Amino acid sequence: MDDKEYVGFATLPNQVHRKSVKKGFDFTLMVAGESGLGKSTLVNSLFLTDLYRDRKLLSAEERIMQTVEITKHAVDIEEKGVRLRLTIVDTPGFGDAVNNTECWKPVAEYIDQQFEQYFRDESGLNRKNIQDNRVHCCLYFISPFGHGLRPLDVEFMKALHQRVNIVPILAKADTLTPPEVERKKRKIREEIERFGIKVYQFPDCDSDEDEDFKLQDQALKESIPFAVIGSNTVVEARGRRVRGRLYPWGIVEVENPGHCDFVKLRTMLVRTHMQDLKDVTRETHYENYRAQCIQSMTRLVVKERNRKYGQKPGQSWRGRGGGESQVQPWVRASSSFVLQGLGSVQAGVPLALPSPFPPSPQQTDSREWYRLPHPCCPTRDRSRNGEADPRER
Amino acid sequence: MDDKEYVGFATLPNQVHRKSVKKGFDFTLMVAGESGLGKSTLVNSLFLTDLYRDRKLLSAEERIMQTVEITKHAVDIEEKGVRLRLTIVDTPGFGDAVNNTECWKPVAEYIDQQFEQYFRDESGLNRKNIQDNRVHCCLYFISPFGHGLRPLDVEFMKALHQRVNIVPILAKADTLTPPEVERKKRKIREEIERFGIKVYQFPDCDSDEDEDFKLQDQALKESIPFAVIGSNTVVEARGRRVRGRLYPWGIVEVENPGHCDFVKLRTMLVRTHMQDLKDVTRETHYENYRAQCIQSMTRLVVKERNRKYGQKPGQSWRGRGGGESQVQPWVRASSSFVLQGLGSVQAGVPLALPSPFPPSPQQTDSREWYRLPHPCCPTRDRSRNGEADPRER
């Protein structure tokens, strides 16, 4: 009778598992860093696919003119019956100009636009086929030639770390000897700490995990930034055919843990933490965007009402008087209602939403404005986000 | 090298599985039907727990006075490391009065209130600890003494079928011989069909399922309504100790598939379809509530604006003129914005939301109004929903 005293809800995780396989997965990965650091090669090596078949490399002359653009490549891959729609967001031109002031801006704007689109979609009536383009992770490539981080690296990561999970990569590590790799990694980790950059934090292990998992997790955390070497060519090493680079002085094996962190990076990004990267995007970065967007809008609405009802600044629109701090409790509780209300009051009129984030790590006081169309009249040109994505889930 | 050509995203379902176990599950089950049909016994048998320890049975005298009330019992159970927070919503008093006109109303209102609360919570600023009380399934108990469905059964199910997944139960089936069970089931299925009642539909099997699963699924679908016998006492039958009922003419074994559908019901409700019941609640019933709520509000706002700007009925507030049909495209696109806008315009003023559903299967033309408070000033008395739930996830 003992085995009968079993209700059966222990199958719930399997029911979830089953449904997730049926539905399929998606993941959006951004790669950023100056050109020539092997971003495309690494992505192809990671996912064993050729995502850049029709890539056109620009000459130095063309690159002078080029501004940072955002391109999107999507591919459907399947493995052991699990389907994954992988989208790679690339940032060609980043850091290539002579003057790279604010070249992180188009990247930040792109990420915000995806959040904004999702915000509008999830506030809308029909939510069945929402296409989620939010960026789940950004691999940021650091040059092996810099003495630690360069100013552009610091600026980029500080501007982006509240918007996306940043995983720093020490690129083309085959130009560094093992002690050099260690020194450079330590220096970069120290600078990340010193500049207050919040890269993606691996979640803490549960106490009930087995020892192997804990050790693996510890090793992952200590590998930041992942020193990687990419290769799409197969060479012969020690009698086996492996992905690698053939030098006169020896063969670099991409998947040899003694040569670089490629396997560690792939394990983290794909096999152990992909779902967590998605969850952090959804629960932290997107929720931050949404909350700050709502609060900014609320402030606008209050200001507008004060103007309309002829009140002096500092008086709340409901005539309670007093400083802005008195408005706060109401603002907090109903600001989402306010934001969405404005959408209807100005229906059809392009609406200016303030960016919830400071536009630059240096200029925290200024505010940048994005011109946003009302969902009914999409006037904004989205063609710069790369080719249209034909996916219909 | 073959086994190396493996990216590893096939672990994604396992990552989801893992996270779901870590987070734990919840399920809210409603039981409805006249008293004495064994609702409490069945729930206790299903989940091998004693959910009604402090239940007080009412005398006939007390029952005359009693109106339908909603009570909630929650229990945390664990099985093979999987935690489940089970909430049973009971409807004591349902159908017990001499005049049972509209006695389904408090039940419908309760379900709508949970949807409404969730709607407000998910539109709010802080969405981290939303407590989800939406009802995932309603076991509706049909008396074995009725000749098929009774009018009250039809009325209840028609009023509720758009709000919740209804699973019909043929109660206390130990009063019926096998041919009687078959006849009664067929009659009830025919009447469900004839009256246009939409009970919970099992999702179709995938073509890639194995044959066993397909047969089991087919058997489940043909068992509606599940004929069940409950028992919390253990008796000795054929040398084994089993859950059952000891009659002078023999022993009824609850978990014997030849005696009743208890095992089938438990398999469906707990082991195979619990997650689907939750998904249908979220994706269909809640989305319907939300959409219809938004549309009702939009109509109100348009009406209010027309009144304010002195336009005649039939003219849209933006002065385009023409019939109401011309308002529709805009209404559809931005109605969620409108609804939430009203919340701010009338901040602090209790707000009347129209019920998105017709109040009765017979009176589809009339509209019932619920008095709803703004989230800032919760004036509505929620104590009738049973004891407060102290859960803080």
Side-chain angles (χ1 to χ4, degrees):
Chain A
M1 168 123 193
D2 266 344
D3 61 335
K4 288 235 171 168
E5 292 296 274
Y6 164 65
V7 174
F9 60 85
T11 64
L12 270 169
N14 301 334
Q15 294 178 38
V16 171
H17 183 292
R18 223 191 135 63
K19 286 220 162 198
S20 75
V21 173
K22 231 178 228 181
K23 205 176 157 201
F25 294 85
D26 56 66
F27 191 76
T28 301
L29 177 69
M30 175 180 266
V31 288
E34 61 183 85
S35 59
L37 289 181
K39 299 190 293 293
S40 315
T41 306
L42 188 77
V43 165
N44 283 337
S45 307
L46 279 172
F47 294 98
L48 300 172
T49 172
D50 190 3
L51 273 153
Y52 295 90
R53 239 159 304 172
D54 46 3
R55 182 165 78 143
K56 179 175 147 261
L57 288 173
L58 297 179
S59 67
E61 207 173 17
E62 287 172 301
R63 283 227 291 277
I64 291 173
M65 299 298 296
Q66 195 195 12
T67 50
V68 180
E69 58 165 348
I70 313 279
T71 62
K72 241 169 77 178
H73 300 261
V75 65
D76 292 299
I77 42 185
E78 187 170 336
E79 190 173 85
K80 295 186 179 176
V82 175
R83 287 169 295 115
L84 175 68
R85 169 111 194 164
L86 176 70
T87 305
I88 303 294
V89 178
D90 204 348
T91 58
F94 176 82
D96 286 357
V98 176
N99 178 353
N100 288 305
T101 308
E102 300 203 326
C103 79
W104 47 265
K105 245 187 179 173
V107 184
E109 278 178 6
Y110 177 84
I111 293 173
D112 282 356
Q113 279 162 19
Q114 311 318 308
F115 281 151
E116 184 214 319
Q117 189 55 49
Y118 191 84
F119 185 22
R120 287 177 184 272
D121 286 347
E122 78 152 4
S123 307
L125 249 191
N126 185 355
R127 311 198 288 182
K128 223 161 198 175
N129 298 306
I130 293 182
Q131 190 181 311
D132 185 358
N133 291 318
R134 293 174 293 183
V135 180
H136 300 121
C137 179
C138 172
L139 298 182
Y140 185 74
F141 287 68
I142 298 161
S143 166
F145 305 140
H147 302 290
L149 295 178
R150 291 171 170 178
L152 180 58
D153 300 331
V154 176
E155 228 182 70
F156 179 90
M157 290 197 274
K158 285 201 78 161
L160 273 285
H161 65 178
Q162 285 199 300
R163 293 172 159 98
V164 67
N165 295 309
I166 296 177
V167 173
I169 303 285
L170 182 53
K172 299 220 162 164
D174 45 354
T175 58
L176 303 169
T177 65
E180 284 171 345
V181 166
E182 263 325 295
R183 267 203 301 278
K184 203 145 284 206
K185 278 186 169 196
R186 200 166 43 237
K187 182 117 195 265
I188 291 172
R189 277 200 300 268
E190 281 166 11
E191 291 182 333
I192 283 175
E193 176 81 22
R194 175 143 48 91
F195 290 110
I197 296 166
K198 303 270 172 261
V199 298
Y200 169 62
Q201 292 293 309
F202 301 105
D204 286 330
C205 268
D206 283 347
S207 50
D208 64 340
E209 299 290 0
D210 59 45
E211 280 307 310
D212 271 7
F213 190 92
K214 279 183 187 167
L215 285 174
Q216 191 194 20
D217 191 72
Q218 189 59 26
L220 270 185
K221 284 176 183 168
E222 285 165 1
S223 303
I224 297 281
F226 294 101
V228 296
I229 300 161
S231 166
N232 292 324
T233 52
V234 173
V235 295
E236 191 142 340
R238 292 173 294 161
R240 292 182 309 118
R241 291 174 55 74
V242 295
R243 225 160 257 270
R245 293 172 62 75
L246 191 63
Y247 285 109
W249 47 88
I251 292 163
V252 178
E253 297 167 47
V254 168
E255 303 196 12
N256 183 334
H259 291 191
C260 76
D261 297 331
F262 176 85
V263 170
K264 267 187 201 141
L265 171 65
R266 189 180 58 190
T267 300
M268 185 286 291
L269 186 66
V270 181
R271 298 185 190 180
T272 56
H273 289 73
M274 189 172 257
Q275 191 57 41
D276 189 65
L277 286 160
K278 293 181 70 174
D279 290 347
V280 173
T281 301
R282 197 166 41 84
E283 292 165 10
T284 305
H285 296 302
Y286 172 66
E287 284 298 309
N288 281 347
Y289 171 87
R290 183 176 173 276
Q292 291 180 276
C293 208
I294 288 171
Q295 285 170 329
S296 306
M297 284 307 294
T298 312
R299 258 175 252 126
L300 267 187
V301 171
V302 171
K303 213 169 152 189
E304 174 68 15
R305 285 214 169 104
N306 284 344
R307 198 188 54 73
K308 212 160 150 188
Y309 293 95
Q311 288 171 328
K312 283 169 207 145
Q315 285 185 300
S316 90
W317 69 278
R318 295 186 67 199
R320 283 195 228 135
E324 209 184 339
S325 64
Q326 295 206 3
V327 186
Q328 287 307 314
W330 168 75
V331 164
R332 271 171 215 290
S334 61
S335 48
S336 83
F337 286 69
V338 173
L339 163 65
Q340 312 230 342
L342 207 82
S344 73
V345 171
Q346 308 199 340
V349 182
L351 188 60
L353 285 184
S355 162
F357 297 105
S360 144
Q362 281 89 37
Q363 312 159 261
T364 43
D365 273 353
S366 74
R367 285 218 158 266
E368 190 193 9
W369 291 70
Y370 296 86
R371 299 292 300 175
L372 302 184
H374 187 271
C376 303
C377 53
T379 49
R380 175 204 252 159
D381 178 20
R382 287 188 181 276
S383 58
R384 53 195 279 276
N385 301 347
E387 80 270 39
D389 185 342
R391 163 163 58 156
E392 272 288 299
R393 269 191 303 202
Chain B
M1 166 123 193
D2 265 344
D3 62 334
K4 288 234 171 168
E5 292 296 274
Y6 164 64
V7 175
F9 60 85
T11 64
L12 270 169
N14 301 334
Q15 294 178 37
V16 171
H17 183 292
R18 225 190 135 64
K19 286 221 162 196
S20 74
V21 173
K22 230 178 229 181
K23 205 176 156 201
F25 294 85
D26 56 66
F27 191 76
T28 301
L29 177 68
M30 175 180 266
V31 288
E34 61 182 86
S35 59
L37 289 181
K39 299 190 294 293
S40 315
T41 305
L42 188 77
V43 165
N44 283 338
S45 307
L46 279 172
F47 295 98
L48 300 171
T49 172
D50 190 3
L51 273 153
Y52 296 91
R53 237 157 306 171
D54 46 3
R55 182 166 78 143
K56 179 175 147 261
L57 289 173
L58 298 179
S59 67
E61 207 173 16
E62 287 171 302
R63 284 227 291 277
I64 290 172
M65 299 297 297
Q66 195 195 12
T67 49
V68 180
E69 59 166 347
I70 313 280
T71 62
K72 242 169 76 178
H73 300 262
V75 66
D76 291 300
I77 42 185
E78 187 170 336
E79 189 173 85
K80 295 185 179 176
V82 176
R83 287 169 295 115
L84 174 69
R85 169 110 194 164
L86 176 70
T87 305
I88 303 294
V89 178
D90 204 349
T91 58
F94 176 83
D96 285 357
V98 176
N99 178 354
N100 287 305
T101 308
E102 300 203 327
C103 79
W104 47 266
K105 245 186 179 175
V107 184
E109 278 178 6
Y110 177 84
I111 293 174
D112 282 356
Q113 279 162 20
Q114 311 317 308
F115 281 151
E116 184 214 320
Q117 189 56 48
Y118 191 84
F119 185 22
R120 287 177 185 271
D121 287 347
E122 78 152 3
S123 307
L125 249 191
N126 185 355
R127 311 198 288 182
K128 222 160 198 177
N129 298 306
I130 293 182
Q131 190 181 311
D132 185 359
N133 291 318
R134 293 174 293 183
V135 180
H136 299 121
C137 179
C138 172
L139 298 182
Y140 185 74
F141 287 68
I142 298 161
S143 166
F145 305 141
H147 302 290
L149 295 177
R150 291 171 170 177
L152 180 58
D153 300 331
V154 176
E155 228 182 70
F156 179 91
M157 290 196 273
K158 285 201 80 161
L160 273 285
H161 65 177
Q162 285 199 299
R163 293 171 160 99
V164 67
N165 295 309
I166 296 177
V167 173
I169 303 285
L170 181 54
K172 298 220 162 165
D174 46 354
T175 58
L176 303 169
T177 65
E180 284 171 345
V181 166
E182 263 326 295
R183 267 203 301 278
K184 204 146 283 207
K185 278 187 168 194
R186 200 166 41 237
K187 182 115 196 264
I188 291 173
R189 278 200 300 268
E190 281 166 10
E191 290 183 333
I192 283 175
E193 176 80 22
R194 175 143 48 91
F195 289 110
I197 297 166
K198 304 270 172 260
V199 298
Y200 169 62
Q201 292 292 310
F202 301 105
D204 285 331
C205 268
D206 283 347
S207 50
D208 64 340
E209 299 290 1
D210 59 44
E211 280 307 310
D212 271 7
F213 191 91
K214 279 183 187 168
L215 285 174
Q216 191 193 20
D217 192 72
Q218 190 58 27
L220 270 185
K221 285 176 183 169
E222 285 166 1
S223 303
I224 298 281
F226 295 101
V228 296
I229 301 161
S231 166
N232 292 324
T233 52
V234 173
V235 295
E236 192 143 338
R238 291 173 295 161
R240 294 181 309 118
R241 290 174 56 74
V242 296
R243 225 160 256 271
R245 293 173 62 76
L246 191 63
Y247 285 109
W249 48 88
I251 293 163
V252 178
E253 297 168 47
V254 167
E255 303 196 12
N256 183 335
H259 290 192
C260 75
D261 297 331
F262 176 85
V263 170
K264 267 188 201 140
L265 171 65
R266 190 180 58 191
T267 300
M268 185 285 291
L269 186 66
V270 181
R271 299 185 190 179
T272 56
H273 290 74
M274 189 172 257
Q275 191 57 41
D276 189 65
L277 286 160
K278 293 181 70 174
D279 290 346
V280 173
T281 301
R282 198 166 40 85
E283 292 165 9
T284 304
H285 295 302
Y286 172 66
E287 284 298 309
N288 281 347
Y289 171 87
R290 183 176 172 277
Q292 291 180 276
C293 209
I294 288 171
Q295 285 170 328
S296 306
M297 285 307 294
T298 312
R299 258 175 252 127
L300 266 187
V301 171
V302 171
K303 213 169 152 190
E304 175 68 14
R305 284 212 170 106
N306 284 344
R307 198 187 55 73
K308 213 160 149 187
Y309 292 95
Q311 288 170 328
K312 283 170 207 144
Q315 285 185 300
S316 90
W317 69 278
R318 295 185 68 199
R320 282 196 228 134
E324 209 184 340
S325 64
Q326 295 206 5
V327 186
Q328 288 306 315
W330 169 75
V331 164
R332 271 171 215 289
S334 61
S335 48
S336 82
F337 287 69
V338 173
L339 163 66
Q340 312 230 343
L342 206 82
S344 73
V345 172
Q346 308 199 339
V349 182
L351 188 60
L353 285 184
S355 162
F357 297 105
S360 144
Q362 280 90 37
Q363 313 160 261
T364 43
D365 273 353
S366 75
R367 284 217 159 268
E368 189 191 10
W369 291 70
Y370 296 86
R371 299 293 299 175
L372 302 184
H374 187 271
C376 303
C377 53
T379 49
R380 176 203 253 160
D381 178 20
R382 288 188 182 276
S383 58
R384 53 195 280 276
N385 301 347
E387 80 271 38
D389 185 344
R391 164 164 57 158
E392 271 289 298
R393 268 192 304 203

